């Protein structure tokens, strides 16, 4: 005789599955009707429900979901409901964490609101996800022009200056400074000099999100991403052993323009001396 308890549970599961499918179907229909009425906020809510109840539909409804999200975001932007707008994008990126179109759109909103460093991060992610995504590449280059100071290019092309830094770092490493911290790494050039000179441990910190991402790309392109520990941090916030496991024997920096005062480099060097550098015996 069949187990009545097992039969009950099977029927119960079957009933729940039928209810789920019915709710998903009704929500999809409601979402379509809302789109026809240009009620994008309600349509967006319906799609969130559908995608949470039926994640297997992510691929089939993705384009319509994107369209709904972007239209609803435009309305929220026009109403100055900024936090609601960001919440919608966070929800969308939880559902589609590797969607370059949503990342790029989020970056565009951030850029228009003046959050250029944060926007650059989303544009950069979009390009990483799809290197052929023309809109994201154009957006990333545009925001980079705002954020990457012109003097970076002048310094990078100053061969005499770079050679002087290289020789100084080589001399320091050869004299026994085997652990190095690069404050305000920028493109990562001094960190790479230190690693090439033979430093066993190299740490680099960069406050700007754009420059940090750029340094990661440069270091990876030079096949040193496993040898240089890049930190998206202000040097004053570095803690041992939370961020780096040891006190370092050498600190290098090239923030010697107006940033000497504007970026608090004097305080950074004092902090490095007191907390991050090995003290002389």
């Amino acid at each position: 005789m069949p187990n009545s308890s097992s039969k009950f549970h099977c029927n119960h599961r079957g009933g729940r599955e039928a209810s789920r499918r019915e709710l998903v179907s009704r929500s999809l229909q409601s979402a379509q009707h809302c789109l026809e009425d240009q009620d994008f906020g309600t349509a967006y809510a319906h799609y969130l429900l559908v995608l949470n109840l039926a994640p297997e539909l992510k691929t089939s409804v993705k384009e319509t979901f994107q369209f709904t999200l972007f239209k609803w975001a435009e309305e929220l932007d026009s109403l100055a409901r900024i936090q609601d707008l960001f919440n919608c994008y966070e929800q969308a990126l939880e559902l589609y964490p590797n969607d370059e179109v949503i990342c790029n759109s989020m970056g565009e909103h951030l850029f228009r609101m003046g959050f250029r460093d944060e926007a650059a991060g989303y544009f950069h992610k979009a390009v990483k996800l799809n290197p052929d995504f023309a809109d994201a590449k154009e957006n990333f280059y545009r925001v980079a022009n705002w954020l990457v100071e012109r003097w970076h290019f002048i310094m990078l092309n100053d061969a005499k200056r770079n050679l002087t830094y290289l020789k100084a770092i080589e001399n320091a490493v050869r004299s026994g400074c085997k652990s190095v911290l690069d404050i305000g790494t920028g493109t990562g050039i001094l960190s790479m000099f230190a690693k090439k000179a033979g430093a066993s441990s190299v740490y680099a910190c960069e406050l700007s999100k754009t420059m940090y991402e750029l340094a990661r790309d440069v270091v990876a392109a030079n096949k040193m991403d496993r040898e240089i520990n890049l930190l998206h941090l202000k040097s004053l916030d570095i803690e041992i052993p939370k961020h780096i496991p040891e006190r370092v024997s050498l600190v290098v920096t090239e923030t010697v323009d107006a940033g000497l005062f504007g970026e608090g480099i004097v305080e950074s060097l004092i902090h490095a001396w007191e907390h991050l550098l090995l003290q002389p015996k």
Side-chain angles (χ1 to χ4, degrees):
M1 183 175 179
N3 187 304
S4 59
S5 177
S6 298
K7 186 176 181 180
F8 171 79
H9 286 300
C10 287
N11 290 337
H12 183 61
R13 284 196 298 270
R16 283 192 304 179
E17 177 60 22
S19 297
R20 183 187 74 90
R21 288 198 300 265
E22 177 66 19
L23 181 56
V24 168
S25 176
R26 288 184 178 182
S27 292
L28 282 172
Q29 291 175 10
S30 296
Q32 288 298 321
H33 292 151
C34 290
L35 286 179
E36 291 169 6
D37 295 336
Q38 297 190 346
D39 182 359
F40 300 113
T42 307
Y44 176 76
H46 279 298
Y47 277 118
L48 281 184
L49 178 62
V50 167
L51 290 168
N52 279 287
L53 287 175
E56 67 273 14
L57 297 179
K58 282 184 179 180
T59 301
S60 61
V61 304
K62 184 169 83 167
E63 288 188 11
T64 311
F65 174 76
Q66 287 174 344
F67 172 81
T68 307
L69 167 67
F70 300 155
K71 286 295 186 180
W72 179 225
E74 288 176 8
E75 284 192 23
L76 292 173
D77 194 6
S78 67
L79 295 169
R81 292 172 56 184
I82 306 305
Q83 190 57 57
D84 289 336
L85 185 153
F86 288 150
N87 288 342
C88 286
Y89 273 97
E90 287 175 4
Q91 291 166 340
L93 287 169
E94 285 180 7
L95 292 166
Y96 297 96
N98 295 318
D99 189 287
E100 70 273 17
V101 178
I102 295 177
C103 287
N104 183 64
S105 180
M106 175 66 158
E108 289 175 337
H109 282 287
L110 286 165
F111 184 79
R112 284 195 295 270
M113 294 173 191
F115 300 107
R116 292 170 182 156
D117 211 21
E118 293 82 355
Y122 281 97
F123 293 145
H124 183 264
K125 182 178 179 180
V127 173
K128 282 287 189 181
L129 290 167
N130 182 1
D132 296 323
F133 189 6
D135 287 350
K137 285 198 291 188
E138 182 180 344
N139 284 332
F140 181 69
Y141 294 144
R142 178 167 54 124
V143 75
N145 283 331
W146 283 90
L147 294 171
V148 180
E149 300 288 350
R150 297 298 95 191
W151 47 261
H152 274 289
F153 302 103
I154 298 172
M155 290 193 304
L156 288 171
N157 286 284
D158 187 339
K160 182 178 179 181
R161 173 185 174 283
N162 293 336
L163 184 59
T164 301
Y165 267 105
L166 175 60
K167 288 182 177 178
I169 291 172
E170 285 177 342
N171 290 337
V173 172
R174 287 170 185 164
S175 70
C177 296
K178 296 298 185 180
S179 54
V180 181
L181 172 64
D182 179 6
I183 295 178
T185 191
T187 59
I189 188 171
L190 299 188
S191 296
M192 291 187 290
F193 283 170
K195 196 63 197 177
K196 286 182 178 180
S200 56
S201 303
V202 179
Y203 312 98
C205 63
E206 175 57 53
L207 182 60
S208 165
K209 177 69 172 175
T210 302
M211 293 309 300
Y212 166 74
E213 296 289 357
L214 179 61
R216 287 182 61 186
D217 285 347
V218 172
V219 168
N222 284 274
K223 295 180 172 55
M224 294 187 184
D225 46 319
R226 294 186 179 181
E227 300 174 308
I228 297 174
N229 185 4
L230 284 166
L231 304 168
H232 181 215
L233 280 175
K234 189 176 182 180
S235 61
L236 293 172
D237 295 331
I238 295 176
E239 298 177 17
I240 297 172
K242 181 178 179 181
H243 300 115
I244 61 176
E246 61 185 332
R247 284 176 176 261
V248 298
S249 52
L250 176 66
V251 170
V252 297
T253 185
E254 54 180 339
T255 46
V256 292
D257 67 327
L260 180 64
F261 303 102
E263 296 180 14
I265 194 61
V266 174
E267 291 84 354
S268 296
L269 292 175
I270 292 173
H271 175 76
W273 171 258
E274 293 178 345
H275 302 284
L276 306 176
L277 267 170
L278 289 169
Q279 298 300 309
K281 297 180 180 178

